[in-house]
Amino acid sequence: ENNTDLSEDELAMIEPALYHFKEIWCKGDEKSYEYLMKLLQEKFRNPFDIPAIPACLVLYGKEGAGKTKPVEVLFDKAFGSEYVAHSVTFEGVTNASGHADSLESKLVAVMNEIPESDYNHRKMFEQFKTLISDKYRRSRRMFQGQCSVPNTVFYIATTNNKNAFHVTQSDRRYFMLDVSSSKIGDSDYFKALVENLEDQWELLIQYILNYKVSEKTKIPDNALRAHAKQLSLCPVGQWLQYKFEGQDDWIDTEVGLGIVDTYQDYKAWMQD
């Protein structure tokens, strides 16, 4: 279905980019794709404005799945590389003394492959949640003291670990996508994708701006958010699922079954 005002020929010209965002990032889920369009739409329409409902885009997936490069190319082309902060560390973003110089005057901050040592720091994670929703942020420059500046930065985080963000049931500050790994190692696919983004970025942005998003569109509760909610119930449950995910043989032992039962009982009690 053509959900924009673009012609069929124009849509064909940006097909590689559209396929990647819809089928690789969103895995064909219509609600996730619509919200992704809404998030990008708001940033491209009002790049210097404080968003009414801010949200950090979190892309989870294996290395080489195509999480970071597409957004870097798209925003570099749209705003200019001087307005995009690349390879920002999680620690730098949540610096208690104020934003690092690397984020000054930036419109987009790309936090590449957040490692375990960063997201495992609870205080740092809570600081970042507050930072997303704050309309103003502290800025400290050498010899200039501290001042407050509008928080217009669009935060994008990529990670290889499903447990990178502990999203509670009511937290709407994170839009999380489970990126498909189906194109890992396909160099021809990614070469064509980057070329398409670089050559047709203006048409792609036109597509995003024209995309008809419902006014009631909100962050969907997809499988990844459900997983993060479940992990946030207790540290024991987080460790068990992280440690044994994908290892079916361990639950055959008597001790393993006991651990699973204990965790399920505890999880049900916490939910109640």
Side-chain angles (χ1 to χ4, degrees), residues 140-181:
R140 186 186 297 274
R141 301 298 295 272
M142 188 174 293
F143 307 120
Q144 296 181 13
Q146 180 178 301
C147 62
S148 295
V149 296
N151 191 15
T152 60
V153 179
F154 176 37
Y155 298 98
I156 302 171
T158 68
T159 179
N160 297 337
N161 198 300
K162 191 178 290 187
N163 305 336
F165 290 88
H166 308 279
V167 181
T168 59
Q169 189 165 0
S170 59
D171 200 333
R172 315 302 291 180
R173 284 168 286 191
Y174 300 96
F175 176 47
M176 308 177 71
L177 290 175
D178 189 353
V179 178
S180 170
S181 58

Side-chain angles (χ1 to χ4, degrees), residues 5 43 58 63 78 119 124 145 151 155 225 233 249 269:
D5 297 327
K43 190 58 184 177
V58 181
E63 186 176 355
Y119 70 72
M124 191 181 297
N151 191 15
Y155 298 98
R225 281 181 59 84
L233 291 175
D249 55 335
W269 179 77

Side-chain angles (χ1 to χ4, degrees), residues 10-247:
E10 289 174 324
L11 289 174
M13 293 173 66
I14 55 175
E15 176 58 29
L18 297 184
Y19 175 86
H20 190 77
F21 290 138
K22 188 169 186 176
E23 302 300 331
I24 303 300
W25 277 18
C26 300
K27 291 186 175 179
D29 182 72
E30 292 291 341
K31 291 183 178 180
S32 295
Y33 185 69
E34 184 176 7
Y35 193 82
L36 174 64
M37 291 296 107
K38 178 180 181 179
L39 206 60
L40 297 176
Q41 197 174 86
E42 290 177 348
K43 190 58 184 177
F44 286 131
R45 279 182 177 170
N46 307 294
F48 294 96
D49 291 352
I50 301 173
I53 305 176
C56 172
L57 174 61
V58 181
L59 302 171
Y60 155 72
K62 295 182 179 179
E63 186 176 355
K67 306 185 297 295
T68 307
K69 188 66 174 180
V71 291
E72 289 184 326
V73 173
L74 182 59
F75 283 108
D76 277 349
K77 288 291 186 179
F79 299 144
S81 58
E82 64 272 19
Y83 287 104
V84 182
H86 299 273
S87 302
V88 180
T89 65
F90 201 50
E91 184 176 4
V93 170
T94 57
N95 188 347
S97 63
H99 264 259
D101 289 351
S102 61
L103 289 183
E104 286 299 321
S105 304
K106 302 299 183 183
L107 295 174
V108 179
V110 183
M111 298 177 286
N112 306 62
E113 308 298 358
I114 297 176
E116 183 175 356
S117 60
D118 283 345
Y119 70 72
N120 206 33
H121 196 303
R122 175 63 62 180
K123 183 178 180 181
M124 191 181 297
F125 181 74
E126 294 299 329
Q127 288 174 341
F128 182 62
K129 286 204 298 184
T130 302
L131 180 64
I132 293 173
S133 55
D134 279 349
K135 293 186 180 297
Y136 294 88
R137 58 176 173 80
R138 289 185 300 171
S139 178
R140 186 186 297 274
R141 301 298 295 272
M142 188 174 293
F143 307 120
Q144 296 181 13
Q146 180 178 301
C147 62
S148 295
V149 296
N151 191 15
T152 60
V153 179
F154 176 37
Y155 298 98
I156 302 171
T158 68
T159 179
N160 297 337
N161 198 300
K162 191 178 290 187
N163 305 336
F165 290 88
H166 308 279
V167 181
T168 59
Q169 189 165 0
S170 59
D171 200 333
R172 315 302 291 180
R173 284 168 286 191
Y174 300 96
F175 176 47
M176 308 177 71
L177 290 175
D178 189 353
V179 178
S180 170
S181 58
S182 61
K183 295 298 181 180
I184 291 179
D186 192 340
S187 58
D188 291 338
Y189 169 83
F190 285 110
K191 181 180 179 180
L193 172 63
V194 172
E195 289 178 352
N196 187 246
L197 288 167
E198 291 178 337
D199 296 340
Q200 305 297 336
W201 65 273
E202 291 177 289
L203 189 57
L204 178 59
I205 292 176
Q206 183 180 343
Y207 168 91
I208 294 171
L209 294 176
N210 290 344
Y211 195 89
K212 297 176 177 61
V213 176
S214 170
E215 294 182 0
K216 297 181 180 180
T217 300
K218 62 181 182 179
I219 295 181
D221 286 325
N222 55 34
L224 184 57
R225 281 181 59 84
H227 176 88
K229 292 174 189 174
Q230 188 179 53
L231 292 180
S232 68
L233 291 175
C234 64
V236 176
Q238 175 188 344
W239 181 82
L240 283 173
Q241 291 205 7
Y242 175 71
K243 184 73 175 177
F244 298 109
E245 184 177 19
Q247 301 181 28

